[in-house]
Amino acid sequence: MGLANMQYSRILIACLTAACVSALAIAILYRFAESWGLVDRPDERKHHVGHIPLIGGLAAFIGVIAGTLVDGQAHLFTNVLLATAAVLAVVGALDDRFDLSVRARLLVQTAAVLAMVAITGVQIHTLGHLFGKEFELGVFGIPLTVVAVIGLLNAFNMMDGIDGLAGTLALVSIGAIIMYQGQPQWPGVVVLVLLAGALVPYLAANLGLVGRKIFLGDAGSMVVGYILAWTLIHLSQDRYTHELSTIDVLWCVALPVLDTIAVMVRRIREGKSPFKPDRGHIHHMMLRAGLGPRTTLVALVMLAIGLALTGMLTHSLAPGSNLLAFGALTVIYVTAMGRIWQKQQAAPSLPQPRPTLEAAELPSNVVRLQSSVTFLSSYGKRTEGPKRNSASK
């Protein structure tokens, strides 16, 4: 009992360290984001206001590293995971700055996955006991591992479309993994716990709860998906503990996986590249349906939690039936999203007004000027002063 309490205390201290260092890193990186070019600018696909620093993911990853050092229990798997994740963080930052090609990103991501497999020996070697038979993958294990890891890290990258979504979905997935374990095996999930703690300062700033707004950035979304993917593979493929089944893994990250599959299927049907960005994800559809960003965020988080709980119920099904359940859900989701997309594209749409900033939100070196039309229309009339409107993303 004493050892368990010491372990909990050590992890708690490491988690608090990750959160504090992440917050400090945000404050420091914010000063240099503009000069380094790590800012997100509005365009036809991005409807936020102003130049927002893309530093949330970098700060969170720095926090994870600090927490790992304080914990002091990292083994080979964790060390190699963080080392390869650091490479992806750098590539993600370069992508935020220079908009790298899809081919370049996929090349580096593949190299990182193969390095993990070569050094640690961890890979997807079995799909588990399905329909009365053990499905060993043999030579197909490494290719499936590459596809699975790259698929999940890009799934979280694609879900980073509204404030707080990718970060909160990561927290839901981490909570689901711990819940699926029943009795948490902390050595296997300590990096995820540190990641959860490190994401809290980012989410607070991104959602406008404290400080100035920041975004996660490609560096952050890729690292979050990468760490989650490898932790899930490690937990489900360990020959001795086997803490999660292969199908449990899918339910833990169900929403990002389902939405990515739906978007890629639709793009391929339209004759487009599956990697070409558009505004066809579930959060974009909900926004076009008239829901606000916060309502959309809450609804999607609740959906992700509901999917994770649904996966828990499939444990009572016969082996293999839970896979069929997830497959059926995938077909339903892909079909429904495709039809909603077609209806929204066919419906006439009014041009969306560009969001505006309040005077108090403008940078100190920017002065809001009154238009000549407004000025002349108010000449000689009694005015009550400008009315304040809420800014929207």
Side-chain angles (χ1 to χ4, degrees):
M1 194 69 177
L3 291 176
N5 290 334
M6 289 178 61
Q7 184 182 44
Y8 292 145
S9 299
R10 189 185 69 247
I11 294 175
L12 177 60
I13 293 173
C15 190
L16 291 175
T17 300
C20 293
V21 171
S22 176
L24 180 61
I26 289 174
I28 295 174
L29 292 174
Y30 197 97
R31 298 174 177 269
F32 301 98
E34 186 76 36
S35 60
W36 290 351
L38 294 178
V39 292
D40 202 18
R41 296 173 174 82
D43 56 26
E44 67 280 356
R45 194 170 56 87
K46 303 173 183 178
H47 295 171
H48 60 270
V49 177
H51 296 177
I52 310 299
L54 297 163
I55 59 173
L58 289 174
F61 184 62
I62 293 172
V64 170
I65 293 176
T68 303
L69 293 175
V70 170
D71 180 58
Q73 302 296 310
H75 300 293
L76 175 65
F77 176 82
T78 302
N79 290 330
V80 179
L81 174 62
L82 294 180
T84 51
V87 174
L88 292 184
V90 172
V91 172
L94 292 175
D95 185 36
D96 287 330
R97 175 64 177 85
F98 299 106
D99 194 16
L100 303 179
S101 67
V102 172
R103 180 178 298 180
R105 296 199 304 270
L106 288 177
L107 182 63
V108 176
Q109 291 166 7
T110 302
V113 176
L114 293 177
M116 275 290 295
V117 173
I119 298 173
T120 67
V122 177
Q123 67 179 76
I124 302 175
H125 58 81
T126 178
L127 296 181
H129 193 74
L130 303 174
F131 308 109
K133 183 180 179 180
E134 187 73 19
F135 275 70
E136 293 287 344
L137 295 172
V139 295
F140 298 103
I142 293 179
L144 181 58
T145 302
V146 172
V147 172
V149 176
I150 292 179
L152 190 60
L153 72 87
N154 282 289
F156 273 89
N157 182 266
M158 291 178 179
M159 293 299 286
D160 189 25
I162 60 174
D163 288 348
L165 183 56
T168 50
L169 289 182
L171 295 183
V172 170
S173 295
I174 293 169
I177 292 169
I178 296 174
M179 179 180 67
Y180 273 61
Q181 284 187 308
Q183 183 67 30
Q185 303 298 315
W186 295 114
V189 297
V190 65
V191 174
L192 292 184
V193 175
L194 297 178
L195 177 62
L199 284 173
V200 170
Y202 151 71
L203 286 170
N206 179 242
L207 294 173
L209 302 179
V210 296
R212 300 176 180 177
K213 180 180 287 293
I214 61 173
F215 285 164
L216 191 63
D218 285 346
S221 57
M222 285 201 299
V223 167
V224 166
Y226 185 77
I227 292 177
L228 273 168
W230 272 114
T231 303
L232 287 168
I233 291 173
H234 191 220
L235 294 175
S236 64
Q237 301 296 311
D238 191 291
R239 297 182 184 273
Y240 302 102
T241 59
H242 201 66
E243 298 176 21
L244 295 177
S245 73
T246 306
I247 311 307
D248 289 339
V249 167
L250 294 175
W251 289 105
C252 288
V253 290
L255 184 56
V257 170
L258 291 173
D259 195 64
T260 299
I261 293 174
V263 168
M264 287 192 165
V265 168
R266 173 182 56 77
R267 290 172 182 170
I268 292 173
R269 285 177 176 174
E270 294 174 347
K272 301 176 182 178
S273 167
F275 300 102
K276 183 178 180 180
D278 58 27
R279 294 183 63 80
H281 293 277
I282 184 173
H283 48 276
H284 295 135
M285 295 182 186
M286 294 175 72
L287 292 173
R288 280 196 297 273
L291 297 178
R294 292 297 171 89
T295 304
T296 299
L297 173 64
V298 172
L300 290 179
V301 169
M302 296 305 296
L303 176 59
I305 294 173
L307 291 172
L309 293 175
T310 301
M312 290 287 292
L313 299 178
T314 63
H315 281 297
S316 60
L317 301 177
S321 298
N322 50 359
L323 177 59
L324 292 178
F326 191 86
L329 177 63
T330 302
V331 173
I332 294 172
Y333 187 94
V334 171
T335 303
M337 290 299 103
R339 290 182 178 177
I340 294 173
W341 168 262
Q342 291 175 352
K343 289 182 179 180
Q344 289 189 343
Q345 293 302 299
S349 58
L350 296 174
Q352 296 294 321
R354 301 291 280 182
T356 58
L357 279 172
E358 293 298 321
E361 298 177 81
L362 288 172
S364 58
N365 60 338
V366 176
V367 178
R368 185 187 296 276
L369 296 178
Q370 191 177 22
S371 70
S372 58
V373 175
T374 305
F375 179 78
L376 291 174
S377 64
S378 62
Y379 181 75
K381 297 181 180 180
R382 180 179 179 271
T383 61
E384 297 177 356
K387 296 183 178 180
R388 298 182 65 84
N389 298 318
S390 59
S392 60
K393 182 177 182 287

